[in-house]
Amino acid sequence: MLRDYGEAKCSNTGDQVGLNGWYANGQAYAYLQGELGIRIKLFFVKKKIPIIKGGAAVLLQAKAPNPIWMRGYVGGNFSVLGGLVKGKFRFKITIGKECVFEDASPLGGLKIITDVTPDDGISDIDVFAIPQAAFSMKVGEPIIIPEDDGDKTYRIDLEAFKLLHNGEEIPGNLEWSNYKDRANFVSSDILPPHEELTVLVEVSFKQKINGIFKTIMVDGKPAKEIEERSFTTGGAPNHIPLHNITYAYPVVDQKYFLEDEYNEGYIQLKRGQDYLFNDAAWESYINYTQQNNAKSVETTFNYNTTDNVINYSIPNVLQETQYTMQIASKLKGGSSNTSTNTSSNNNAKDGGAYDAGVTETNVEIRETNAQNLSKDGEIERLAYGFGTSKYKTFKRKINSFNTSDYNWGVIYSDVIYLTNRVKDHEPFDLTELLGSNYTNNIPLVSIEATLDDTYFNADINPPLYSKYPLGGQYTFNNRDAAVLGTPPKYALPLLSNYLNNLEHEVNEQSLRTTFPFRYNLTITYKADWIDLRSQIVNDQVDGLIPRGSPVLNFLDENYLFMRYGFYKTKLSYKLPGGIEGSSSIYKFKNPINFRN
């Protein structure tokens, strides 16, 4: 077990342990050459009689490097002089010098909290910063450590991870890495600007004794390791950065917004920015502006300070039109001319930061820096563009698809896939098919097979999926059943060429005449069939399946070619945040009939 002990020193040497703090604790094998004997008095004469002469392999506990230390035990039985003198021997072997840690922790000097950020004493920290603690071992999981008297099991528990402001805890949540060796503290709102904050991280140690983890005590007190860091934040922005959006509707840069899918717009913030909207001296509103002729529609909104969500009623929009969605603020009762005045302020360079709690007009004006100040004296809190679809709902868009060609392609001699070409039509965009940073990386469009075709219900489902897992024990080894489903109704992958064209914004006509999904259930049917068949055959050969077992009936079944006819799929629209939209049925077709 190689771990980083940080700056730990050995009190008996005065040097830092290991190589830059990296020190190993484990087992080592040693080959020893020498002689072991006993001294006896025989016939009134003292004699030395050898018991062992030669070599032996010994398993040692080892710690290395710098210093190197090993310890082990050699034992055995002896009988000399024809059994006159016999007995047992056991002796300890020690090699090198053991490090005696200064201020040793319950785990032998090992430092558990290896790093905490931001660093101590740092100033002008971004208010969107996320404090992080790093640990040398997994937190909350058992750890086995070899020691002199055998292996022992410990567990490190995180007792506290707090972010403090004036002694009060800032609310937030912890996010752990997959390995459980790093934790992030994500505050509910952004950090207070121009304030000193303290990060406190505390871990405790427990040892498994008689099957129960018990707290390790040192000098009558629970053993703990504590790290603190203090830092000072910089200014807060007077706008909503795009990186602070978890998801929004309409989606940022969405090409085909569907007006009637949902009558409310919304923006979910990652971290709250309450200060932008809680000052009574300012009024804030939303503008929808046409990008081609600057016509705009103004509407009000509500900001939920608990959930950090902005909600508003979507104004009427035109189809196939580009819009800019803007959140703006202006002083109540103030003229546009006064808002362009300036006044001195040391915090102006930080972007204005907190508007909250400031009510004097001249103070608010100095917050409106040129970078976010419009000609009408407004502060632009957020702005992004999007385009509207030719259709008002997703269902209407799918129902308007006119398929021109039902195509197929060969995978194996008995397996084909299906694709479609359509007449010129509004395509999909990446936001719909793959999602984006502003949909929480979840696609808006999903597709699944309805599985009401004769091929599935007569040829595939009865012998395979209706009895899954076969014999109550045979499951798929070659795929994750949760991804494609069982049966695999989600086996409708996106066409790579379609995605490439979208990503590089090329071949517009191909996008307008290609349906982006491929009906690929048949290849999964065949793969599942072979997977389970192979498992059963192997177990039969190994004698693991008794003669007459019903599971052997599957070996008598034949995989059949895909039947001629239509294969239905269901396309569904889901708004960011999981709000269900409309859906529609779309058909593929196998145009060949090999069975007749």
Side-chain angles (χ1 to χ4, degrees):
M1 183 174 61
L2 182 66
R3 297 292 180 185
D4 184 7
Y5 285 68
E7 300 296 326
K9 292 184 178 181
C10 304
S11 60
N12 53 329
T13 66
D15 297 328
Q16 182 184 10
V17 70
L19 297 176
N20 294 324
W22 287 94
Y23 199 55
N25 181 6
Q27 293 178 330
Y29 289 94
Y31 181 78
L32 305 178
Q33 181 74 33
E35 183 177 286
L36 170 68
I38 59 173
R39 182 183 293 116
I40 66 172
K41 190 173 184 180
L42 182 63
F43 309 126
F44 306 101
V45 178
K46 293 180 180 180
K47 297 180 179 291
K48 295 180 180 179
I49 301 176
I51 298 174
I52 298 175
K53 189 174 184 180
V58 183
L59 180 64
L60 305 170
Q61 181 191 4
K63 297 180 181 180
N66 187 29
I68 294 175
W69 175 82
M70 297 183 186
R71 179 173 63 187
Y73 295 87
V74 176
N77 300 314
F78 66 87
S79 177
V80 297
L81 302 177
L84 177 63
V85 180
K86 58 185 177 181
K88 298 179 180 180
F89 66 88
R90 182 177 185 271
F91 63 93
K92 180 170 68 174
I93 300 171
T94 302
I95 301 171
K97 180 183 293 186
E98 183 179 11
C99 175
V100 179
F101 285 95
E102 293 180 349
D103 301 322
S105 78
L107 297 185
L110 177 64
K111 186 172 178 58
I112 302 302
I113 307 172
T114 58
D115 192 21
V116 177
T117 58
D119 293 335
D120 195 49
I122 299 296
S123 60
D124 202 27
I125 293 295
D126 189 348
V127 291
F128 286 94
I130 298 175
Q132 182 183 85
F135 308 93
S136 60
M137 294 183 178
K138 290 184 179 181
V139 176
E141 297 187 14
I143 301 163
I144 299 175
I145 296 178
E147 299 190 16
D148 296 349
D149 51 353
D151 292 348
K152 293 184 180 180
T153 302
Y154 295 92
R155 192 180 71 200
I156 297 147
D157 289 346
L158 181 65
E159 296 294 336
F161 192 154
K162 300 177 182 179
L163 185 60
L164 305 174
H165 176 223
N166 295 329
E168 298 292 329
E169 286 190 44
I170 293 176
N173 298 303
L174 287 183
E175 294 180 353
W176 287 92
S177 66
N178 292 334
Y179 194 68
K180 296 297 292 290
D181 64 344
R182 291 179 184 274
N184 294 332
F185 182 87
V186 184
S187 58
S188 300
D189 292 347
I190 66 171
L191 305 181
H194 303 298
E195 295 288 342
E196 182 175 326
L197 306 179
T198 299
V199 181
L200 172 66
V201 182
E202 177 182 313
V203 295
S204 65
F205 305 88
K206 292 180 173 62
Q207 181 181 351
K208 192 174 185 180
I209 301 174
N210 297 326
I212 300 174
F213 281 98
K214 297 183 178 181
T215 300
I216 297 175
M217 307 297 288
V218 176
D219 297 329
K221 298 180 181 179
K224 294 182 180 180
E225 183 178 323
I226 300 174
E227 291 286 341
E228 284 190 14
R229 303 287 190 274
S230 294
F231 61 91
T232 303
T233 56
N238 62 358
H239 64 283
I240 299 173
L242 289 176
H243 66 72
N244 196 34
I245 295 177
T246 300
Y247 54 76
Y249 189 76
V251 182
V252 178
D253 296 330
Q254 182 177 8
K255 289 186 176 180
Y256 307 113
F257 170 69
L258 301 158
E259 178 184 4
D260 290 346
E261 280 297 323
Y262 197 61
N263 59 6
E264 283 192 10
Y266 51 89
I267 302 169
Q268 173 68 64
L269 301 185
K270 296 177 181 177
R271 317 272 291 277
Q273 293 183 255
D274 304 359
Y275 63 92
L276 293 178
F277 309 115
N278 63 2
D279 186 359
W282 289 76
E283 60 179 343
S284 299
Y285 49 90
I286 286 177
N287 264 331
Y288 269 41
T289 305
Q290 294 183 37
Q291 293 181 5
N292 56 350
N293 57 17
K295 289 184 179 180
S296 63
V297 179
E298 184 177 309
T299 185
T300 59
F301 68 89
N302 175 65
Y303 176 65
N304 187 316
T305 58
T306 301
D307 298 329
N308 303 326
V309 180
I310 296 169
N311 293 285
Y312 62 95
S313 296
I314 296 177
N316 183 50
V317 295
L318 301 177
Q319 273 56 64
E320 299 183 281
T321 304
Q322 297 297 313
Y323 281 89
T324 296
M325 180 276 184
Q326 179 197 49
I327 299 177
S329 300
K330 64 182 178 182
L331 284 168
K332 290 181 178 179
S335 67
S336 60
N337 292 331
T338 59
S339 63
T340 59
N341 293 334
T342 60
S343 63
S344 60
N345 183 349
N346 293 332
N347 294 333
K349 63 181 180 180
D350 294 318
Y354 269 1
D355 295 332
V358 184
T359 56
E360 295 183 11
T361 302
N362 65 324
V363 176
E364 293 290 359
I365 291 174
R366 51 140 177 155
E367 299 283 5
T368 57
N369 297 325
Q371 60 182 349
N372 288 310
L373 185 65
S374 74
K375 64 181 180 180
D376 297 321
E378 300 173 342
I379 299 176
E380 184 177 272
R381 305 298 192 186
L382 175 68
Y384 64 82
F386 69 92
T388 59
S389 170
K390 178 181 179 180
Y391 308 94
K392 291 197 172 186
T393 67
F394 182 70
K395 182 175 182 178
R396 291 179 187 175
K397 178 171 180 173
I398 300 304
N399 289 345
S400 66
F401 273 86
N402 190 348
T403 303
S404 58
D405 294 297
Y406 294 103
N407 301 319
W408 58 278
V410 176
I411 300 176
Y412 304 126
S413 60
D414 56 352
V415 177
I416 62 172
Y417 64 86
L418 307 178
T419 59
N420 286 349
R421 290 190 65 80
V422 297
K423 292 186 178 179
D424 191 272
H425 199 279
E426 178 183 279
F428 297 89
D429 72 353
L430 287 172
T431 298
E432 294 171 321
L433 300 181
L434 296 181
S436 72
N437 292 335
Y438 310 109
T439 66
N440 209 15
N441 295 306
I442 299 174
L444 302 182
V445 175
S446 62
I447 185 171
E448 63 182 90
T450 61
L451 299 178
D452 57 1
D453 54 275
T454 304
Y455 177 57
F456 175 77
N457 289 302
D459 302 334
I460 299 298
N461 194 47
L464 182 58
Y465 298 109
S466 67
K467 300 176 181 178
Y468 185 84
L470 294 189
Q473 68 181 93
Y474 292 100
T475 58
F476 304 133
N477 284 336
N478 297 329
R479 72 175 178 92
D480 184 351
V483 175
L484 299 181
T486 303
K489 62 181 179 179
Y490 302 113
L492 291 116
L494 288 161
L495 299 177
S496 58
N497 287 342
Y498 196 98
L499 292 179
N500 286 335
N501 290 339
L502 274 180
E503 289 172 350
H504 296 94
E505 298 182 347
V506 295
N507 298 327
E508 172 73 17
Q509 190 58 32
S510 177
L511 293 172
R512 300 185 67 88
T513 56
T514 303
F515 189 72
F517 296 95
R518 181 169 80 176
Y519 194 93
N520 216 34
L521 274 71
T522 49
I523 180 61
T524 310
Y525 291 161
K526 183 63 180 290
D528 290 347
W529 193 289
I530 293 174
D531 184 1
L532 297 184
R533 184 183 182 88
S534 298
Q535 293 182 53
I536 294 171
V537 168
N538 290 335
D539 283 356
Q540 183 188 32
V541 171
D542 293 338
L544 301 178
I545 303 176
R547 184 175 299 179
S549 172
V551 76
L552 294 175
N553 294 335
F554 184 67
L555 301 181
D556 297 327
E557 300 285 349
N558 293 317
Y559 182 82
L560 300 176
F561 188 80
M562 188 180 196
R563 291 179 183 240
Y564 167 84
F566 286 102
Y567 293 81
K568 295 180 182 178
T569 63
K570 179 183 178 182
L571 286 113
S572 301
Y573 195 80
K574 183 177 288 187
L575 283 68
I579 298 174
E580 297 288 345
S582 61
S583 61
S584 183
I585 298 296
Y586 182 77
K587 298 178 181 178
F588 290 85
K589 182 181 180 180
N590 176 14
I592 57 177
N593 193 353
F594 284 169
R595 298 194 182 189
N596 291 334

